[in-house]
Structures are given as C-alpha cells and as structure tokens.
Amino acid sequence: MKLKIAIQGVKGSNHHQVAKDYFGEHIELVECMSFDELVCQTLSGRADKAVMAIENSIAGSIIPNYALIHHNNLHVIGEHFLNIHHNLMVLPGQKIEDINEVHSHPMALLQCKDFLKSYPHIKLVEAVDTAETAQQIQEKQLINIAAIAPKAAAELYGLEIIANEIQTITNNSTRFLIINKENKELPPEEINKASIRFIADHKRGSLAALLNVMSDCNLNLTKIQSLPVIERPWKYAFFVDITFDAYQDFSKAKSLLEIMTEEFKILGEYKNARV
C-alpha cells in the first residue's frame, strides 16, 4: 500500500518535492488547495500524513499554521529543509516582453520582488500555489501570463523557463513539518528535537524563568513564536522548538515546565533535520 501524503498544492510544487524527499517516490499524493483542507484530509484519515510549510528564511513564519497544528491536536513527527529555487515559466515560444501578468503564491512573489521590479508593466497576481499556476497555464493555454514555480513544474506541465533562479536572495530555504494524528513515531534514543506550546504566568520574569529552565536542562532553543490566545484577550501562547543531545534532559525539562506554566503541550518529538 502506498502512503497517502497530503500536500498544499499540486504535483510539481515544493510541498510535492518535500514529500518525495522525505517519504520516497512510492507515495500517493493528496493534493490540497489550502492548509485547512490539508488538515481536514489528515484528520479524516484520507491522508496518512501531511507536509506543511512552517517558515521561510526570508519571509519568516507562516503563523496561521502554528494555530492549525495546535487547535486540531496534530503532531509534528519530522521536519525537512528545502532550498527554494524560483523560475519564471511560460508557454513555449513566448518572451518576457510578451508577459502582462505573473501569477504565483504570495510568498514566491515576495521572494522575487527585486527581479519583478525591473518589469513594472507586469501585473502581479496572487495564487494559491506555485505549481497550480503552471498547471493552469498549460491546461488553458494561457498566453501573456507567466508563473513563478519550481523547475519540476515546468518539466511536468511542458512550460519553458525564460528566467531561472529569480529569487532575490540565493540562499533561500523553507522549513517544512511532517504532521500526523499521532505523536510517537520514534524511540526516545532517536529523538533530539521537540516542538512545544505553553502559556506563561502573567508575572514579571515568568518567561525568563522558563527559558532558564530550558538552558539549565541543556536544551537549545532554536525557535520561539508568540501567538495571541484568541479566547483570552492580551494573553499569548509561545510556540518553541528545542534541540537536545539526550532525551532524559528533555524529560526533566518537561516535568518542570508543566509545573511552571499555565498550559503546556508537546506538539511533537522528532529528529533534528539540521544534524
């Protein structure tokens, strides 16, 4: 049986590439046009696992996805970093002077803004996915319209790349999470990274005290993101990623953080992809 992997977007997208890199070629894609749909497919069991972008080295965090993971009780079981390469593609035979509109995901448009500034006559149109735009150009034979998408999309949908590597910053990487309905995928001795969520007491120095506990337990904080707690005005939850060498250090920290916080939740325990 092939694993069914939910991705945001269609074949040829960066999510598709991550699914192949992480799970191998022997998978069945569940294509979703939004992250909300991706979550629904995972919760319903129509997808076994899912790939979800969470942050980019240029544009920062995709903040709504933190809330999606928490509110739907999903679990992070892995991560993958992908170098992002943006290419301008069209139906064969067209030149950049022929282009009136460029369609792509808002993040892709943002990451290519310096290149696009050189062509002020071109209208920028936001789309739900990079590869889906390439697919639409091919299926509808759209002339005078270009897509910004990965090279794989051009190959898959028979488009011609008229400008490659157009991202503003060459070293452009996106971190993707692998999510599931269940948390435990690995034995403790193979786990060296975790994602947690907590709400600190509303007292002076409470967050600093929690960070000190992590440091004292030999945990390395690699990411901290605050989000409002919707039902409690002016209250914030902290989403934190931590790495460690020994699982027992994390276990010790967990027991302390559970006592010291108003709320504490483990979002996932997995392997650090940067090691």
Side-chain angles (χ1 to χ4, degrees):
M1 291 288 290
K2 289 184 178 180
L3 269 179
K4 296 179 180 179
I5 308 300
I7 62 168
Q8 192 274 316
V10 300
K11 289 179 180 178
S13 65
N14 288 317
H15 276 78
H16 179 203
Q17 185 62 54
V18 171
K20 291 194 297 182
D21 290 348
Y22 195 89
F23 295 104
E25 297 282 350
H26 195 67
I27 56 174
E28 180 180 333
L29 289 183
V30 179
E31 299 174 341
C32 306
M33 288 299 102
S34 70
F35 286 114
D36 288 285
E37 183 187 351
L38 178 147
V39 167
C40 288
Q41 296 287 352
T42 306
L43 291 174
S44 69
R46 288 188 288 270
D48 299 310
K49 305 179 195 304
V51 172
M52 175 186 281
I54 197 68
E55 59 179 317
N56 176 265
S57 58
I58 299 173
S61 298
I62 305 175
I63 291 177
N65 286 355
Y66 287 93
L68 276 176
I69 292 170
H70 164 61
H71 289 301
N72 291 285
N73 291 314
L74 291 166
H75 299 278
V76 182
I77 61 170
E79 65 177 358
H80 186 80
F81 291 84
L82 182 71
N83 290 326
I84 304 300
H85 303 279
H86 291 308
N87 305 278
L88 192 69
M89 56 192 69
V90 294
L91 288 174
Q94 294 193 86
K95 297 180 174 61
I96 198 163
E97 294 78 14
D98 303 323
I99 303 307
N100 298 324
E101 296 181 2
V102 170
H103 296 212
S104 196
H105 189 278
M107 195 77 77
L109 295 173
L110 176 66
Q111 293 168 6
C112 300
K113 64 179 182 180
D114 283 1
F115 173 85
L116 296 169
K117 281 180 183 176
S118 301
Y119 302 93
H121 69 284
I122 295 178
K123 179 183 178 181
L124 307 184
V125 180
E126 295 185 356
V128 296
D129 178 54
T130 54
E132 193 268 345
T133 298
Q135 183 187 57
Q136 289 297 311
I137 290 175
Q138 191 274 334
E139 288 182 353
K140 298 179 181 179
Q141 291 292 292
L142 300 175
I143 61 171
N144 307 122
I145 294 178
I148 295 175
K151 182 180 178 181
E155 296 170 349
L156 193 60
Y157 301 115
L159 301 185
E160 181 179 335
I161 294 176
I162 56 174
N164 55 28
E165 301 291 343
I166 64 171
Q167 62 271 10
T168 301
I169 299 175
T170 304
N171 187 17
N172 177 13
S173 177
T174 295
R175 178 180 175 231
F176 294 79
L177 299 179
I178 313 302
I179 60 175
N180 195 6
K181 291 189 293 184
E182 302 295 332
N183 193 21
K184 298 296 184 183
E185 289 264 325
L186 298 170
E189 60 270 17
E190 294 184 25
I191 296 171
N192 57 5
K193 189 168 185 177
S195 296
I196 62 175
R197 176 191 181 271
F198 61 79
I199 298 176
D201 291 332
H202 197 59
K203 298 176 183 177
R204 185 177 62 187
S206 59
L207 178 58
L210 295 170
L211 297 180
N212 284 335
V213 165
M214 296 182 202
S215 178
D216 292 342
C217 291
N218 300 313
L219 307 185
N220 178 38
L221 189 150
T222 60
K223 172 78 176 180
I224 183 167
Q225 180 74 53
S226 64
L227 266 73
V229 180
I230 303 301
E231 63 274 14
R232 299 163 67 182
W234 307 114
K235 197 74 172 177
Y236 291 85
F238 294 92
F239 291 78
V240 174
D241 292 331
I242 43 183
T243 61
F244 40 87
D245 293 326
Y247 187 82
Q248 55 265 35
D249 290 336
F250 177 55
S251 294
K252 179 181 177 182
K254 281 192 294 185
S255 61
L256 294 171
L257 293 172
E258 286 172 347
I259 296 170
M260 297 173 65
T261 57
E262 287 188 15
E263 292 181 18
F264 179 80
K265 182 179 182 180
I266 298 170
L267 301 175
E269 301 175 358
Y270 49 98
K271 283 185 178 181
N272 181 5
R274 300 303 293 271
V275 174

